[in-house]
Amino acid sequence: MICVSIGRGRHRFMMAEHRHLVEQGAQLVELRLDYINGEVNIKRLLADRPCPVVISCRRERDGGKWNKGEEKRLLLLRSAIAEGVEYIDLEEDIAAQIPRYGKTRRIISYHDFHKTPEDLEALHRHMASLDADIVKISTMANNPHDNIRMLTLIRQSKIPTIGICMGEIGIPTRILAGKYGAPFTYATFHHERALAPGQLTFQQMKEVYRYDEINGQTEVYGVVADPVGHSLSPLIHNAAFKHLKLNKVYVPFRVPREHLNQFLEDCQHLAVKGLSVTIPHKEAIVSKLTQADGAVRGIGACNTVIFKDGQRLGYNTDYRAAMESLEEAMGIPPNAEAPLRGKTALILGSGGVGKAIAYGLLRRGANVVVTDGIAEKARQLAEQFQCRYAEWSLRHTVPADILVNATPIGMHPNVDETPFERRHMKPSMVVFDAVYNPENTLFIKEARAQNCKVITGLEMFVRQAALQFKLFTGLEAPVELMRDVVRRAIAAVKY
C-alpha cells in the first residue's frame, strides 16, 4: 500500500487533494498538520474522510514546518486520536507522553536528515518498546549500502516496520519496501511538492513502478548511474514488464564511483537479476565482471550486466544498437562485408558510447577519427583502437562522411548547445547524435537544416534498451511501446 503525504496551507486544499487522490486509487493518506496556516481544525479534516488517514505534525528539526510550540502540537496529536483517526505518527521522543486510546494505531517514528545511524537495530528495539503498532525509521542515505541495511531491518523485524532512506541514493528503499515486508511506503501528491528528499509521486509509484504488485517473488532490475534522476530507462523497462505481465521491477540506483564495488556485492543481497550501466560506470565496471562478451572486451566498456549463478556477465548493447541504427539509415544490408570502407567517421567524445561506436565503425571498415574536449581521453582511445585523433579545436577541419556526437552536449537541460557548428555540416554527411533527450537536439536540427541524413539518439536508446530487455528476460521487447513511452516522456518535459 502507498501512503500519500499531503501538505497544504489551507484546510480546503488539503481536503480537495484527499478526495482527488482517493479518486485516483489512493487507499491511505498522511495529513501533515504542520503545513496548515493558522489554527488547525481536526474535526473538519477528518469528517467524512474518503479513506483512512495518518495524522502527523512535524517539528522543524524533523523536517517539518511546525513552530507554534510543543504543547500545542501534542494537544493536536491527542485531539486526532480522540477523533478516532486510523493512524497517529508520534516521534520516538514524545511517544511516552501520548498514551494509546481507542482504535488508533501508533506509528512511532524517527528522522535523521543527515545520515543513516550505524546501529539501526538498537534504534529499532528502542522504538518498538514504545507501544508501537508500526515502527517508522526515515534517514538520509549517503552510501548505497544504507539501502541494504534499511531493507534488511524491515525484513528481520518482528513488528511491522517502514524503513526509508531519503535522498536520490535512497529511492530503492521506497520502491522495494513492500518486497521486504513494510506495511506501506510513502509518496507525494505532486513532484513539485515532495515533503521529503527523494520522495516519488503517487503516480510514479503506482503507474511506473506498480508498487502494489511488488511482492517477495518480484525480480529486481535497474540502472546504475550517478546521477540517475534523468534516466528514462525505468520508464521504458517497467512499461515493457507491465505490457508482458512480468513480475519484475526496474529501479534507479544512484551509485557514486567510490561505492561501485560495494554496490555490486550488495546486488546479491537485493537479488538483482540485471543492470543497465551508464555514466560514469561503463568502463570501471568491466574489471568487476566475471565474464564479458567480445564487444565488451574489444570496446573496454559495458552497459549491461546479468547476474547468474554467482557470475557477473557483461554485454554491450550500445554497440549493436548504434550499428543497427546507422545501417538502417544508410540502407546497408545486414551482414554486408566492410560496408563503410572508404568512409571517414568523426566521433565527438571518447567515453563509453564513443568507444562503442568507434569499435563498430572500425569493424565495418570506416576510417575513424576521434576527438574530445579532454585531449588525453581522445588520444588514449585512438591508441587503443589504432585510429586517428584530432584536437577538439580542429574538429571542423576533418573531412567526415559520418559525424557522431557521443558527448552529452545538447542534452536536457542544456538544449541550446551543440558540439559542432552548422556551417561545417555538408549535405552529404550522415549525422548521428547519441543524445536522446531531447530527441531533436540542436545538433540534429542544424543537420536537418543542412539536408544531412540524420539519426537521433532516441533510436539508438530504444534499440539498446530492447537488446537489454532480451538479455534480462529472454523475450522479445515490445519495441514500438518502448519508443512511444520515451517520446511521450520527452514531450512532457518543458524546455
Side-chain angles (χ1 to χ4, degrees):
M1 185 163 57
I2 303 167
C3 179
V4 190
S5 301
I6 305 175
R8 297 304 302 271
R10 302 183 67 174
H11 291 75
R12 65 187 182 94
F13 292 151
M14 189 173 278
M15 294 161 66
E17 282 190 8
H18 190 172
R19 289 191 298 271
H20 175 74
L21 283 164
V22 172
E23 291 169 1
Q24 301 303 308
Q27 298 173 281
L28 180 67
V29 302
E30 177 189 34
L31 303 183
R32 288 283 299 270
L33 304 186
D34 50 300
Y35 273 75
I36 292 178
N37 300 321
E39 293 298 316
V40 179
N41 188 329
I42 291 285
K43 287 182 180 291
R44 183 182 176 191
L45 289 172
L46 297 182
D48 301 319
R49 54 191 179 277
C51 80
V53 165
V54 177
I55 286 290
S56 64
C57 188
R58 297 271 180 248
R59 299 164 294 197
E60 291 177 328
R61 76 188 203 200
D62 297 311
K65 300 180 71 174
W66 185 264
N67 59 5
K68 302 169 189 174
E70 186 65 355
E71 285 303 315
K72 195 169 185 177
R73 186 174 80 96
L74 298 183
L75 180 60
L76 271 178
L77 294 171
R78 293 188 185 103
S79 299
I81 296 172
E83 291 297 326
V85 70
E86 287 78 15
Y87 297 91
I88 192 77
D89 187 313
L90 306 171
E91 293 86 3
E92 52 87 24
D93 63 316
I94 66 160
Q97 302 175 53
I98 301 182
R100 180 182 295 276
Y101 177 79
K103 295 182 180 179
T104 298
R105 302 188 73 197
R106 291 161 60 89
I107 301 172
I108 308 303
S109 65
Y110 172 88
H111 298 81
D112 189 328
F113 287 84
H114 302 288
K115 66 183 184 308
T116 298
E118 286 300 318
D119 198 343
L120 284 175
E121 293 76 14
L123 174 63
H124 186 277
R125 285 193 298 272
H126 165 65
M127 296 172 68
S129 72
L130 298 170
D131 194 17
D133 292 302
I134 296 172
V135 170
K136 178 192 173 190
I137 299 177
S138 186
T139 63
M140 182 60 68
N142 296 313
N143 183 327
H145 187 63
D146 292 336
N147 295 322
I148 290 290
R149 296 169 54 217
M150 191 65 78
L151 292 170
T152 300
L153 181 74
I154 296 173
R155 172 173 282 169
Q156 294 178 348
S157 300
K158 293 180 181 178
I159 187 169
T161 297
I162 301 165
I164 294 170
C165 286
M166 293 182 285
E168 191 178 44
I169 288 176
I171 285 175
T173 60
R174 297 181 181 277
I175 298 168
L176 300 177
K179 177 178 171 67
Y180 285 77
F184 50 87
T185 190
Y186 285 80
T188 187
F189 175 75
H190 189 275
H191 74 275
E192 292 180 352
R193 293 208 297 275
L195 305 189
Q199 200 172 50
L200 300 173
T201 68
F202 176 61
Q203 182 180 31
Q204 286 174 305
M205 294 290 280
K206 180 184 174 187
E207 297 179 8
V208 177
Y209 297 104
R210 295 183 294 153
Y211 179 85
D212 287 328
E213 296 178 36
I214 295 173
N215 56 37
Q217 288 70 51
T218 302
E219 292 185 350
V220 178
Y221 299 81
V223 55
V224 54
D226 184 24
V228 75
H230 68 282
S231 177
L232 298 183
S233 293
L235 280 177
I236 61 172
H237 282 287
N238 282 314
F241 291 159
K242 179 180 180 179
H243 179 74
L244 295 177
K245 297 180 170 62
L246 302 176
N247 188 13
K248 305 177 190 295
V249 65
Y250 186 101
V251 178
F253 294 107
R254 181 186 169 198
V255 178
R257 292 175 189 267
E258 63 271 21
H259 298 307
L260 181 61
N261 282 349
Q262 180 65 60
F263 171 74
L264 292 173
E265 294 294 329
D266 288 345
C267 282
Q268 179 179 349
H269 301 289
L270 282 169
V272 173
K273 300 292 185 179
L275 288 174
S276 306
V277 184
T278 186
I279 296 170
H281 301 305
K282 288 186 179 184
E283 295 159 87
I285 207 167
V286 173
S287 64
K288 322 299 181 189
L289 303 171
T290 53
Q291 292 184 43
D293 72 358
V296 170
R297 293 193 301 272
I299 297 166
C302 166
N303 80 323
T304 311
V305 176
I306 303 297
F307 297 89
K308 186 177 181 181
D309 300 328
Q311 304 292 307
R312 299 172 189 161
L313 313 178
Y315 303 87
N316 193 303
T317 66
D318 282 337
Y319 151 66
R320 285 179 56 193
M323 293 306 102
E324 288 176 7
S325 301
L326 186 67
E327 289 166 354
E328 182 176 293
M330 296 180 69
I332 296 171
N335 303 316
E337 186 175 345
L340 299 179
R341 183 174 288 126
K343 302 288 186 182
T344 296
L346 174 62
I347 300 178
L348 311 171
S350 55
V353 172
K355 284 185 175 182
I357 295 175
Y359 175 82
L361 290 171
L362 287 165
R363 284 171 63 89
R364 283 153 180 77
N367 299 312
V368 172
V369 182
V370 295
T371 186
D372 194 288
I374 302 175
E376 186 56 31
K377 286 183 65 177
R379 278 195 290 267
Q380 288 176 359
L381 178 56
E383 184 177 339
Q384 178 185 347
F385 286 164
Q386 297 183 337
C387 61
R388 292 167 55 201
Y389 153 77
E391 291 283 349
W392 183 255
S393 61
L394 299 177
R395 64 193 183 282
H396 298 108
T397 66
V398 177
D401 303 295
I402 300 167
L403 176 63
V404 179
N405 176 32
T407 76
I409 298 173
M411 181 186 295
H412 175 73
N414 303 311
V415 296
D416 295 324
E417 298 178 3
T418 177
F420 200 84
E421 294 179 20
R422 170 178 169 175
R423 61 193 176 93
H424 294 288
M425 295 177 175
K426 306 293 190 295
S428 58
M429 282 182 172
V430 176
V431 176
F432 185 174
D433 198 344
V435 171
Y436 65 85
N437 185 11
E439 178 178 6
N440 291 305
T441 59
L442 181 58
F443 182 66
I444 287 293
K445 290 176 182 176
E446 292 186 341
R448 281 201 177 102
Q450 296 296 89
N451 295 315
C452 303
K453 186 183 293 291
V454 302
I455 305 163
T456 71
L458 184 140
E459 190 60 33
M460 176 181 166
F461 176 67
V462 171
R463 286 178 186 262
Q464 64 82 26
L467 291 166
Q468 287 182 333
F469 187 88
K470 180 72 178 287
L471 290 168
F472 291 160
T473 67
L475 303 172
E476 295 297 330
V479 176
E480 288 306 316
L481 170 73
M482 295 169 90
R483 187 177 285 115
D484 182 57
V485 167
V486 175
R487 284 209 167 104
R488 281 190 282 113
I490 292 173
V493 175
K494 296 179 181 179
Y495 295 110

PDB file of all heavy atoms in Angstrom, residues 289-294 296 302-306 312-316 471:
ATOM      1  N   LEU A 289      33.628  -7.683 -13.774  1.00  0.00           N
ATOM      2  CA  LEU A 289      32.874  -8.775 -14.385  1.00  0.00           C
ATOM      3  C   LEU A 289      33.619 -10.089 -14.243  1.00  0.00           C
ATOM      4  O   LEU A 289      34.846 -10.125 -14.227  1.00  0.00           O
ATOM      5  CB  LEU A 289      32.630  -8.476 -15.867  1.00  0.00           C
ATOM      6  CG  LEU A 289      31.914  -7.165 -16.201  1.00  0.00           C
ATOM      7  CD1 LEU A 289      31.940  -6.922 -17.703  1.00  0.00           C
ATOM      8  CD2 LEU A 289      30.483  -7.172 -15.678  1.00  0.00           C
ATOM      9  N   THR A 290      32.861 -11.173 -14.166  1.00  0.00           N
ATOM     10  CA  THR A 290      33.490 -12.499 -14.191  1.00  0.00           C
ATOM     11  C   THR A 290      33.570 -13.027 -15.625  1.00  0.00           C
ATOM     12  O   THR A 290      34.447 -13.831 -15.948  1.00  0.00           O
ATOM     13  CB  THR A 290      32.704 -13.493 -13.320  1.00  0.00           C
ATOM     14  OG1 THR A 290      31.328 -13.494 -13.720  1.00  0.00           O
ATOM     15  CG2 THR A 290      32.805 -13.117 -11.847  1.00  0.00           C
ATOM     16  N   GLN A 291      32.648 -12.562 -16.477  1.00  0.00           N
ATOM     17  CA  GLN A 291      32.691 -12.907 -17.901  1.00  0.00           C
ATOM     18  C   GLN A 291      32.241 -11.689 -18.705  1.00  0.00           C
ATOM     19  O   GLN A 291      31.393 -10.920 -18.239  1.00  0.00           O
ATOM     20  CB  GLN A 291      31.780 -14.082 -18.232  1.00  0.00           C
ATOM     21  CG  GLN A 291      32.212 -15.419 -17.651  1.00  0.00           C
ATOM     22  CD  GLN A 291      31.310 -16.545 -18.121  1.00  0.00           C
ATOM     23  OE1 GLN A 291      30.948 -16.634 -19.284  1.00  0.00           O
ATOM     24  NE2 GLN A 291      30.934 -17.416 -17.189  1.00  0.00           N
ATOM     25  N   ALA A 292      32.801 -11.538 -19.905  1.00  0.00           N
ATOM     26  CA  ALA A 292      32.416 -10.417 -20.767  1.00  0.00           C
ATOM     27  C   ALA A 292      32.371 -10.897 -22.209  1.00  0.00           C
ATOM     28  O   ALA A 292      33.203 -11.713 -22.626  1.00  0.00           O
ATOM     29  CB  ALA A 292      33.406  -9.266 -20.626  1.00  0.00           C
ATOM     30  N   ASP A 293      31.398 -10.391 -22.967  1.00  0.00           N
ATOM     31  CA  ASP A 293      31.328 -10.796 -24.376  1.00  0.00           C
ATOM     32  C   ASP A 293      32.405 -10.092 -25.183  1.00  0.00           C
ATOM     33  O   ASP A 293      33.126  -9.214 -24.685  1.00  0.00           O
ATOM     34  CB  ASP A 293      29.930 -10.561 -24.951  1.00  0.00           C
ATOM     35  CG  ASP A 293      29.585  -9.093 -25.161  1.00  0.00           C
ATOM     36  OD1 ASP A 293      30.411  -8.216 -24.825  1.00  0.00           O
ATOM     37  OD2 ASP A 293      28.481  -8.802 -25.661  1.00  0.00           O
ATOM     38  N   GLY A 294      32.544 -10.479 -26.438  1.00  0.00           N
ATOM     39  CA  GLY A 294      33.615  -9.950 -27.282  1.00  0.00           C
ATOM     40  C   GLY A 294      33.560  -8.450 -27.434  1.00  0.00           C
ATOM     41  O   GLY A 294      34.602  -7.788 -27.466  1.00  0.00           O
ATOM     42  N   VAL A 296      32.405  -6.208 -25.276  1.00  0.00           N
ATOM     43  CA  VAL A 296      32.881  -5.565 -24.043  1.00  0.00           C
ATOM     44  C   VAL A 296      34.397  -5.614 -23.986  1.00  0.00           C
ATOM     45  O   VAL A 296      35.061  -4.617 -23.657  1.00  0.00           O
ATOM     46  CB  VAL A 296      32.268  -6.248 -22.801  1.00  0.00           C
ATOM     47  CG1 VAL A 296      32.949  -5.754 -21.526  1.00  0.00           C
ATOM     48  CG2 VAL A 296      30.769  -5.975 -22.731  1.00  0.00           C
ATOM     49  N   CYS A 302      31.071  -1.514 -20.792  1.00  0.00           N
ATOM     50  CA  CYS A 302      29.947  -2.432 -20.622  1.00  0.00           C
ATOM     51  C   CYS A 302      28.718  -1.629 -20.217  1.00  0.00           C
ATOM     52  O   CYS A 302      28.798  -0.782 -19.343  1.00  0.00           O
ATOM     53  CB  CYS A 302      30.304  -3.462 -19.545  1.00  0.00           C
ATOM     54  SG  CYS A 302      28.927  -4.439 -18.922  1.00  0.00           S
ATOM     55  N   ASN A 303      27.586  -1.904 -20.844  1.00  0.00           N
ATOM     56  CA  ASN A 303      26.370  -1.189 -20.455  1.00  0.00           C
ATOM     57  C   ASN A 303      25.268  -2.120 -19.944  1.00  0.00           C
ATOM     58  O   ASN A 303      24.176  -1.664 -19.634  1.00  0.00           O
ATOM     59  CB  ASN A 303      25.839  -0.332 -21.610  1.00  0.00           C
ATOM     60  CG  ASN A 303      25.054  -1.141 -22.619  1.00  0.00           C
ATOM     61  OD1 ASN A 303      25.397  -2.292 -22.908  1.00  0.00           O
ATOM     62  ND2 ASN A 303      24.015  -0.554 -23.186  1.00  0.00           N
ATOM     63  N   THR A 304      25.568  -3.423 -19.848  1.00  0.00           N
ATOM     64  CA  THR A 304      24.573  -4.389 -19.377  1.00  0.00           C
ATOM     65  C   THR A 304      25.262  -5.472 -18.568  1.00  0.00           C
ATOM     66  O   THR A 304      26.254  -6.047 -19.032  1.00  0.00           O
ATOM     67  CB  THR A 304      23.826  -5.048 -20.553  1.00  0.00           C
ATOM     68  OG1 THR A 304      23.366  -4.044 -21.459  1.00  0.00           O
ATOM     69  CG2 THR A 304      22.641  -5.870 -20.056  1.00  0.00           C
ATOM     70  N   VAL A 305      24.728  -5.744 -17.370  1.00  0.00           N
ATOM     71  CA  VAL A 305      25.260  -6.817 -16.539  1.00  0.00           C
ATOM     72  C   VAL A 305      24.126  -7.764 -16.174  1.00  0.00           C
ATOM     73  O   VAL A 305      23.049  -7.318 -15.751  1.00  0.00           O
ATOM     74  CB  VAL A 305      25.915  -6.272 -15.249  1.00  0.00           C
ATOM     75  CG1 VAL A 305      26.377  -7.420 -14.353  1.00  0.00           C
ATOM     76  CG2 VAL A 305      27.084  -5.357 -15.585  1.00  0.00           C
ATOM     77  N   ILE A 306      24.365  -9.047 -16.335  1.00  0.00           N
ATOM     78  CA  ILE A 306      23.422 -10.079 -15.917  1.00  0.00           C
ATOM     79  C   ILE A 306      24.052 -10.845 -14.755  1.00  0.00           C
ATOM     80  O   ILE A 306      25.217 -11.262 -14.842  1.00  0.00           O
ATOM     81  CB  ILE A 306      23.098 -11.056 -17.066  1.00  0.00           C
ATOM     82  CG1 ILE A 306      22.543 -10.304 -18.281  1.00  0.00           C
ATOM     83  CG2 ILE A 306      22.137 -12.135 -16.596  1.00  0.00           C
ATOM     84  CD1 ILE A 306      21.229  -9.603 -18.035  1.00  0.00           C
ATOM     85  N   ARG A 312      28.915 -12.471 -12.849  1.00  0.00           N
ATOM     86  CA  ARG A 312      28.538 -11.172 -13.419  1.00  0.00           C
ATOM     87  C   ARG A 312      28.907 -11.182 -14.887  1.00  0.00           C
ATOM     88  O   ARG A 312      30.093 -11.135 -15.242  1.00  0.00           O
ATOM     89  CB  ARG A 312      29.263 -10.040 -12.697  1.00  0.00           C
ATOM     90  CG  ARG A 312      28.964  -9.938 -11.215  1.00  0.00           C
ATOM     91  CD  ARG A 312      29.875  -8.914 -10.560  1.00  0.00           C
ATOM     92  NE  ARG A 312      29.766  -8.928  -9.098  1.00  0.00           N
ATOM     93  CZ  ARG A 312      30.670  -8.419  -8.288  1.00  0.00           C
ATOM     94  NH1 ARG A 312      31.772  -7.851  -8.809  1.00  0.00           N
ATOM     95  NH2 ARG A 312      30.509  -8.472  -6.984  1.00  0.00           N
ATOM     96  N   LEU A 313      27.906 -11.260 -15.730  1.00  0.00           N
ATOM     97  CA  LEU A 313      28.122 -11.385 -17.166  1.00  0.00           C
ATOM     98  C   LEU A 313      27.919 -10.032 -17.822  1.00  0.00           C
ATOM     99  O   LEU A 313      26.870  -9.396 -17.645  1.00  0.00           O
ATOM    100  CB  LEU A 313      27.150 -12.410 -17.754  1.00  0.00           C
ATOM    101  CG  LEU A 313      27.035 -13.739 -16.985  1.00  0.00           C
ATOM    102  CD1 LEU A 313      25.994 -14.647 -17.640  1.00  0.00           C
ATOM    103  CD2 LEU A 313      28.381 -14.430 -16.913  1.00  0.00           C
ATOM    104  N   GLY A 314      28.902  -9.563 -18.586  1.00  0.00           N
ATOM    105  CA  GLY A 314      28.852  -8.229 -19.162  1.00  0.00           C
ATOM    106  C   GLY A 314      28.609  -8.222 -20.665  1.00  0.00           C
ATOM    107  O   GLY A 314      29.155  -9.049 -21.400  1.00  0.00           O
ATOM    108  N   TYR A 315      27.795  -7.272 -21.114  1.00  0.00           N
ATOM    109  CA  TYR A 315      27.455  -7.129 -22.531  1.00  0.00           C
ATOM    110  C   TYR A 315      27.503  -5.650 -22.907  1.00  0.00           C
ATOM    111  O   TYR A 315      27.457  -4.777 -22.046  1.00  0.00           O
ATOM    112  CB  TYR A 315      26.052  -7.682 -22.823  1.00  0.00           C
ATOM    113  CG  TYR A 315      25.873  -9.131 -22.436  1.00  0.00           C
ATOM    114  CD1 TYR A 315      25.480  -9.471 -21.138  1.00  0.00           C
ATOM    115  CD2 TYR A 315      26.109 -10.157 -23.349  1.00  0.00           C
ATOM    116  CE1 TYR A 315      25.324 -10.800 -20.763  1.00  0.00           C
ATOM    117  CE2 TYR A 315      25.944 -11.493 -22.985  1.00  0.00           C
ATOM    118  CZ  TYR A 315      25.553 -11.802 -21.695  1.00  0.00           C
ATOM    119  OH  TYR A 315      25.404 -13.114 -21.329  1.00  0.00           O
ATOM    120  N   ASN A 316      27.565  -5.381 -24.215  1.00  0.00           N
ATOM    121  CA  ASN A 316      27.495  -4.006 -24.695  1.00  0.00           C
ATOM    122  C   ASN A 316      26.440  -3.908 -25.780  1.00  0.00           C
ATOM    123  O   ASN A 316      26.687  -4.273 -26.929  1.00  0.00           O
ATOM    124  CB  ASN A 316      28.848  -3.521 -25.219  1.00  0.00           C
ATOM    125  CG  ASN A 316      28.856  -2.012 -25.419  1.00  0.00           C
ATOM    126  OD1 ASN A 316      28.036  -1.471 -26.147  1.00  0.00           O
ATOM    127  ND2 ASN A 316      29.777  -1.320 -24.747  1.00  0.00           N
ATOM    128  N   LEU A 471      18.118  -9.684 -23.033  1.00  0.00           N
ATOM    129  CA  LEU A 471      19.088 -10.299 -22.125  1.00  0.00           C
ATOM    130  C   LEU A 471      18.483 -10.504 -20.735  1.00  0.00           C
ATOM    131  O   LEU A 471      18.742 -11.513 -20.076  1.00  0.00           O
ATOM    132  CB  LEU A 471      20.342  -9.423 -22.026  1.00  0.00           C
ATOM    133  CG  LEU A 471      21.228  -9.371 -23.266  1.00  0.00           C
ATOM    134  CD1 LEU A 471      22.264  -8.249 -23.137  1.00  0.00           C
ATOM    135  CD2 LEU A 471      21.935 -10.710 -23.487  1.00  0.00           C
TER     136      LEU A 471
END
